[in-house]
Amino acid sequence: MKKCLICNTRIDPFISFGKMPLANGFLTQDQFADEYFFELKVAFCPNCGMVQLVEQPDREKMFNKNYPFFSGTSKLMAVHFEEFAEHVKKDYLSSQDPFVVEIGSNDGIMLRHFKKDGISHLGIEPSENVARVAIENGINTICRFFDEDCARRIVQEHGQADAFLGANVMCHIPYLHSVIEGIKILLKPKGIVMFEDPYMGDVIEKMTYDQIYDEHVFLFSVSSIKYLFEQHGLEVIDVEPQETHGGSMRYVIARKGIYLVSKRVSVQLGKEKAMGLDKPETYANFRKNCEDSRDKLMSLLNEVKKQGKRIVGYAATSKSTTIINYCGITTDHIEFISDTTPVKQGKFSPGAHIPVRPYEEFLANYPDYAFLFAYNHAKEIMAKEQKFMESGGKWIVYAPKAKVLE
Ligand code: SAH
Ligand code: TMP
Ligand code: ZN
C-alpha cells in the first residue's frame, strides 16, 4: 500500500505511463543493456490534494556528476531568472547586508544577478558538473542535497538567510518535510521563501502531461502547497503565475502572521476549486485525455511517415522522454533528435534510443517536419528557425493537442 509523501494518507494511482527510463538518462550504445527502468505511476491524494509519483528512482541516479541539464542553454530562461532575481532584490531584500540561498542553483543562472551586485549568496547544487560551472564563474556554491541537516550547517557557517529561493527544484524532492524544517532553521524571522515549479492547473488545462517524469515527484497546486507549509507553521503570502515550462506557479511564503496575504492567493484557490483540482474525477478525466492525446499523435506521425516524409525531433528535452516512451515513438518515426547541448550529442534518447545529433545536422539537411519537443521554448525557437519554415519546413506539436503547424 502506498502512502502520500505529504500527509501519509493511502493513495492509489490514477494513471500509469508504463515502464520509463530516467528522463535525463541519455546513453551510449554500450549502456543499452543495463538501462534502468521504473513504472511511472501518478496518484492524487484525496486528503491533502498533492499529485505525486508512486515510485521514484534514487536521487543519486538522477542528480550526479553527469547531470546533462544546464539551465543556461535557454536565452529566454536566462532573462526569466534575471527578472526573478530583480524582483527579489527590489521587493524582498530590505536588510542591511542580505544573504540569499538558492537550492537547485544549477550553473548559477539566477545567483549571478546577486553576485553582480555584491549580495551575499549561496547555491546548494548536488549535481557536480553543473555546480562546477557556477563555481568557475565565481558563484558561491556547495555541492550537496538540501535538507534539514544542510540548513543547520549553512547557519553555522554563514548565519541565517533573508531569502530562500528555488526554481524547478522543490517538485524534485520527495523529503519536503525535511526541506521545510530546514527552511525554518535557515530563515531569519522575517525571511521569505520564493520558489516556482510547473503548475498542476496548467498540466490539466493544456494537457502538458510530459511534465510528469522521474525527477518531478510532485505536481503542485496552490492548495497542496498551502496544506504542506501550514503543517510547519508557514503561510503562502502570494502566488504569481508564470509562463515558463508551459505554465508554472511561483509561491511566496513566510512565517505565519508576519506579512499580509495577497488577494491573489484566495483568487487562485477559487480557480482551482472551479477546475476541480480537489476532485478524483478530474484526474480520471485527465487519464482519458492523455490516452486520446497519445492516439492522435501516433496517427499523425504514422500518416506523415506513410507519405514518405522525414521527421526530425527538435531538442532532446527531459520531458520528451515521457512522450516518446508512453506514445511508442521510435526511430521509424523520428530519424534523430537535434540538440544544442554537447553532452547529449552522439548519445541516444532514454528508452527509445533515438540518436541525438548536433543542431548543425538539422541545419545542414532540413527535414520535412520538425517535431517540437521543446514547446516551452517555442517563441525563441520559431524566431530562430525562419529559414526552415521559409523552405517549406513544418512543425509537429503535441500540446495542447497533436497537430501540424504550417
Ligand atoms: N533552477 C534551475 C535548475 C533546475 S533543474 C532551473 O530552473 O533551470 C533541478 C536542479 O535541482 C538540478 O540541478 C538538481 O541537481 C538540483 N537538485 C535536486 N535535488 C536537490 C536538493 N535536494 N537540493 C538542492 N538541489 C537539488
Ligand atoms: P528543457 O525543455 O528541459 O529546458 O530542455 C531544453 C533542451 O533543449 C536542452 O537540451 C537544449 C535544447 N534546445 C535546443 O536544442 N535548441 C534550442 O533552441 C533550445 C531553446 C533548446
Ligand atoms: Zn496527502
Side-chain angles (χ1 to χ4, degrees), residues 157-183:
E157 278 173 41
H158 306 269
Q160 282 186 306
D162 296 75
F164 173 93
L165 312 177
N168 310 302
V169 55
M170 288 290 276
C171 73
H172 293 54
I173 308 180
Y175 42 95
L176 280 183
H177 289 301
S178 167
V179 168
I180 299 173
E181 282 306 306
I183 288 175

Side-chain angles (χ1 to χ4, degrees), residues 63 67 69 71 81 102-106 109 124-127 130 144-146 167-169 172-173 175:
F63 310 115
Y67 190 62
F69 176 73
S71 302
F81 286 124
E102 188 195 355
I103 65 167
S105 47
N106 201 277
I109 190 166
I124 316 298
E125 175 47 68
S127 297
V130 295
R144 62 168 292 176
F145 289 94
F146 183 80
N168 310 302
V169 55
H172 293 54
I173 308 180
Y175 42 95

Side-chain angles (χ1 to χ4, degrees), residues 260-394:
L260 286 178
V261 175
S262 156
K263 270 210 188 75
R264 277 192 287 252
V265 177
S266 53
V267 169
Q268 198 64 37
L269 286 168
K271 284 188 190 163
E272 293 185 353
K273 258 216 141 55
M275 279 188 76
L277 290 193
D278 55 342
K279 295 206 174 61
E281 302 86 81
T282 305
Y283 301 94
N285 197 38
F286 174 69
R287 185 195 63 225
K288 255 188 36 238
N289 290 343
C290 287
E291 289 160 2
D292 287 352
S293 168
R294 171 184 64 186
D295 296 347
K296 274 211 185 70
L297 177 63
M298 292 318 286
S299 24
L300 192 154
L301 293 181
N302 287 327
E303 185 54 36
V304 168
K305 286 314 285 181
K306 244 192 359 226
Q307 295 166 7
K309 305 286 191 196
R310 289 180 59 220
I311 309 175
V312 164
Y314 196 103
T317 57
S318 32
K319 52 193 178 293
S320 66
T321 299
T322 297
I323 298 293
I324 291 173
N325 292 284
Y326 170 65
C327 296
I329 298 170
T330 67
T331 43
D332 290 341
H333 305 102
I334 292 186
E335 217 172 284
F336 65 86
I337 306 172
S338 148
D339 197 282
T340 50
T341 314
V343 291
K344 294 184 187 176
Q345 296 164 356
K347 294 201 173 140
F348 293 83
S349 78
H353 303 160
I354 301 171
V356 181
R357 310 294 313 159
Y359 172 55
E360 289 67 32
E361 292 191 24
F362 170 82
L363 292 178
N365 185 12
Y366 282 144
D368 302 296
Y369 292 84
F371 190 141
L372 185 60
F373 285 125
Y375 65 82
N376 51 318
H377 302 297
K379 255 192 225 155
E380 178 172 352
I381 292 170
M382 300 282 175
K384 196 161 79 174
E385 301 302 347
Q386 286 299 324
K387 246 177 91 188
F388 166 63
M389 293 182 271
E390 279 160 19
S391 70
K394 294 176 188 157

Side-chain angles (χ1 to χ4, degrees), residues 60-61 80 101 141 147 186 278 343 360 406:
E60 287 79 10
K61 265 202 162 64
H80 174 78
V101 171
T141 306
D147 56 12
L186 182 61
D278 55 342
V343 291
E360 289 67 32
E406 310 260 342

Side-chain angles (χ1 to χ4, degrees), residues 102-234:
E102 188 195 355
I103 65 167
S105 47
N106 201 277
D107 56 11
I109 190 166
M110 174 141 72
L111 282 181
R112 64 199 172 106
H113 299 291
F114 294 97
K115 177 193 174 256
K116 180 179 77 188
D117 291 353
I119 295 173
S120 302
H121 61 274
L122 185 64
I124 316 298
E125 175 47 68
S127 297
E128 198 184 314
N129 58 333
V130 295
R132 199 177 319 120
V133 174
I135 292 166
E136 278 162 9
N137 287 313
I139 294 155
N140 303 327
T141 306
I142 54 174
C143 189
R144 62 168 292 176
F145 289 94
F146 183 80
D147 56 12
E148 194 177 337
D149 181 49
C150 176
R152 239 176 242 118
R153 284 172 191 224
I154 298 173
V155 174
Q156 272 165 15
E157 278 173 41
H158 306 269
Q160 282 186 306
D162 296 75
F164 173 93
L165 312 177
N168 310 302
V169 55
M170 288 290 276
C171 73
H172 293 54
I173 308 180
Y175 42 95
L176 280 183
H177 289 301
S178 167
V179 168
I180 299 173
E181 282 306 306
I183 288 175
K184 285 169 68 179
I185 292 166
L186 182 61
L187 274 193
K188 291 181 184 168
K190 291 187 176 169
I192 60 115
V193 181
M194 206 169 185
F195 66 90
E196 62 187 33
D197 286 283
Y199 180 54
M200 189 66 229
D202 287 301
V203 171
I204 296 262
E205 215 163 69
K206 302 177 186 155
M207 280 309 294
T208 46
Y209 64 91
D210 53 352
Q211 284 301 339
I212 300 169
Y213 58 87
D214 56 356
E215 294 176 22
H216 293 175
V217 65
F218 295 115
L219 274 170
F220 297 144
S221 59
V222 177
S223 51
S224 59
I225 284 296
K226 185 168 181 290
Y227 180 100
L228 169 62
F229 281 83
E230 275 178 0
Q231 286 190 318
H232 296 268
L234 299 173

